[in-house]
């Protein structure tokens, strides 16, 4: 009797799908996220949003002046200008909290985008000369133009950050290979050193400029009113939209320029879009609150520790983690030195350094 058992077809067998077959959108190992994992990550975002709301309430309630919680509620719902406590809440604490939220969102997203674009796990606002550019034009505004108010020189800080960033990118883009990650880092270091030397030279010759500048340089949320907070909104909103939409671009760039180009990405255009987002976000935040340390450096690593390497999740997590940390540090600075306060830039550095060391010990930071 003839054997009717089916025999496998001859010829080359079908190859198993490549781990990269899912493309840069795959969150880990090329496998698409399951519904359970997506639900878990969405739940994490909800919890972070609740944490941000809670720390915002604390930021409005705590300060050098003791204000009852009922008075805080009245200041927000039934404001009485004759009540001094309500005036403190409305004119000082609410704008300060708003600036903290805006600056936190901006620094978290900007740090994440910068690390993705440069493929450098140590990238922060200083690597592209943002802090140095903002500092130089602020000193120029104080020393040459005689501008002494924060609301006056904040625009010079923003312009300086933007000019420095585009200068760094222009220098890095010279040559056949274009703006590679190494070129960006080297040109950023060179421009930062040059700008810092000019800033220092001006400050050494003008004591008044130094006194006004050092309050901005330490990084602080105190003294920021609505005249500073509201102008930041359109810049940070536009930058945040660009950053959140760049998740696929950053996933592709993480695979390397050649692979990203092979996947159909225009590498140069992608970097320009991401760089524009960084300028809008980090320029506005640095100009308003000063060069706050460690937020843009640590937050992306914290987000990746939770979500994995997929930038479509890393970006929204960074946008919520950063203001929670920034406002929490600001509240802590008010509590530990009551009735005075420790500036938030000092507190974030004290918190961020050990957190970053712990992340270094747990994870290989080079794997972006």
């Amino acid at each position: 009797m003839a054997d009717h058992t089916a025999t496998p077809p001859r010829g080359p067998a079908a190859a198993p799908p490549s781990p990269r077959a899912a493309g840069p959108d795959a969150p880990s190992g090329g496998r698409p996220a399951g519904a359970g994992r997506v639900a878990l990550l969405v739940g994490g975002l909800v919890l972070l949003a609740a944490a941000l709301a809670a720390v915002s309430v604390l930021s409005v309630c705590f300060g050098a002046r003791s204000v009852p919680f009922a008075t805080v509620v009245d200041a927000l719902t039934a404001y009485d200008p004759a009540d001094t406590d309500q005036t403190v809440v409305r004119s000082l604490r609410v704008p300060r909290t708003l600036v903290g939220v805006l600056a936190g969102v901006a620094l978290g997203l900007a740090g994440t985008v910068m690390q993705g674009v440069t493929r450098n796990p140590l990238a922060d606002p200083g690597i592209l000369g943002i802090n140095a550019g903002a500092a130089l034009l602020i000193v120029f505004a104080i020393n040459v133009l005689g501008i002494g108010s924060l609301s006056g020189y904040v625009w010079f800080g923003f312009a300086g950050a933007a000019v420095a960033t585009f200068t760094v990118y222009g220098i890095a883009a010279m040559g056949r290979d274009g703006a590679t990650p190494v070129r960006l880092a080297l040109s950023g270091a060179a421009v930062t050193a040059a700008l810092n030397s000019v800033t220092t030279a001006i400050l050494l010759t003008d004591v008044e400029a130094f006194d006004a500048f050092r309050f901005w340089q330490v990084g602080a949320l105190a003294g920021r009113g609505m005249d500073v907070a509201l102008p930041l909104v359109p810049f940070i909103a536009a930058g945040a939209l660009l950053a959140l939409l760049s998740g696929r671009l950053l996933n592709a760039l993480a695979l390397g320029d050649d692979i990203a180009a092979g996947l159909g990405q225009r590498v140069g255009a992608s970097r320009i879009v991401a760089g524009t987002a960084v300028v809008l976000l980090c320029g506005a935040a640095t100009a308003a609150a000063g060069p706050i340390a460690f937020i843009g450096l640590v937050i992306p690593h914290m987000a990746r520790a939770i979500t994995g390497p997929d930038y479509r999740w890393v970006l929204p997590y960074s946008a919520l983690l950063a203001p929670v940390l920034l406002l929490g540090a600001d509240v802590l600075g008010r509590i530990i030195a009551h009735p005075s306060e420790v500036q938030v830039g000092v507190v974030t550095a004290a918190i961020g350094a050990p957190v970053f060391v712990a992340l270094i010990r747990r994870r290989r930071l080079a794997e972006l």
Side-chain angles (χ1 to χ4, degrees):
M1 181 178 294
D3 187 0
H4 294 286
T5 304
T7 57
R10 298 185 180 275
S18 168
R20 295 289 189 185
D25 298 336
S28 63
R31 294 184 299 273
R37 182 174 182 274
V38 171
L40 189 63
L41 290 174
V42 171
L45 290 175
V46 173
L47 290 176
L48 282 176
L52 178 57
V55 77
S56 297
V57 172
L58 292 176
S59 177
V60 174
C61 291
F62 285 96
R65 186 188 186 99
S66 298
V67 178
F69 182 73
T71 303
V72 174
V73 175
D74 290 339
L76 299 177
T77 58
Y79 177 52
D80 180 8
D83 190 321
T84 304
D85 287 343
Q86 292 190 30
T87 301
V88 168
V89 172
R90 287 286 291 262
S91 63
L92 297 178
R93 296 186 186 175
V94 170
R96 178 175 184 162
T97 302
L98 180 58
V99 171
V101 172
L102 292 173
V105 170
L107 291 173
L109 288 174
T112 303
V113 173
M114 291 172 69
Q115 291 182 11
V117 169
T118 63
R119 299 203 299 277
N120 184 346
L122 300 179
D124 70 349
I127 197 172
L128 295 182
I130 291 175
N131 291 347
L136 178 58
L137 276 201
I138 285 176
V139 169
F140 174 81
I142 296 171
N143 178 262
V144 178
L145 303 181
I147 299 174
S149 66
L150 177 65
S151 59
Y153 61 65
V154 65
W155 297 106
F156 289 87
F158 183 86
V163 171
T165 303
F166 285 117
T167 300
V168 169
Y169 187 87
I171 294 173
M174 294 179 180
R176 184 177 58 184
D177 296 332
T180 63
V182 174
R183 285 177 175 269
L184 283 170
L186 292 176
S187 61
V191 170
T192 297
L195 295 178
N196 282 340
S197 64
V198 177
T199 301
T200 302
I202 296 174
L203 292 176
L204 289 176
T205 60
D206 191 333
V207 177
E208 293 183 2
F210 175 74
D211 289 338
F213 172 74
R214 65 180 179 178
F215 179 74
W216 174 87
Q217 177 69 19
V218 72
L221 299 179
R224 273 60 174 174
M226 284 298 184
D227 57 338
V228 173
L230 293 180
L232 298 179
V233 174
F235 294 103
I236 293 178
L241 181 62
L242 282 177
L244 291 172
L245 292 177
S246 67
R248 294 179 182 272
L249 301 178
L250 296 176
N251 281 340
L253 291 176
L255 302 176
D257 290 358
D258 293 338
I259 297 178
L263 291 171
Q265 296 290 347
R266 298 175 61 185
V267 175
S270 298
R271 284 210 170 94
I272 290 175
V273 170
T276 301
V278 169
V279 169
L280 291 172
L281 291 169
C282 214
T286 303
I292 296 176
F294 277 101
I295 295 292
L297 177 63
V298 172
I299 288 297
H301 296 292
M302 295 176 64
R304 277 190 290 269
I306 299 171
T307 67
D310 189 348
Y311 278 97
R312 294 175 303 172
W313 290 107
V314 176
L315 287 164
Y317 265 80
S318 296
L320 291 176
L321 279 169
V324 170
L325 176 59
L326 183 59
L327 281 182
D330 189 42
V331 173
L332 181 62
R334 296 181 231 176
I335 293 175
I336 61 178
H338 186 81
S340 184
E341 67 178 73
V342 179
Q343 300 297 343
V344 68
V346 177
V347 180
T348 55
I351 294 174
V355 171
F356 192 55
V357 170
L359 287 169
I360 290 174
R361 292 177 61 87
R362 287 186 55 199
R363 301 178 63 85
R364 294 177 60 189
L365 298 187
E367 293 181 354
L368 294 185

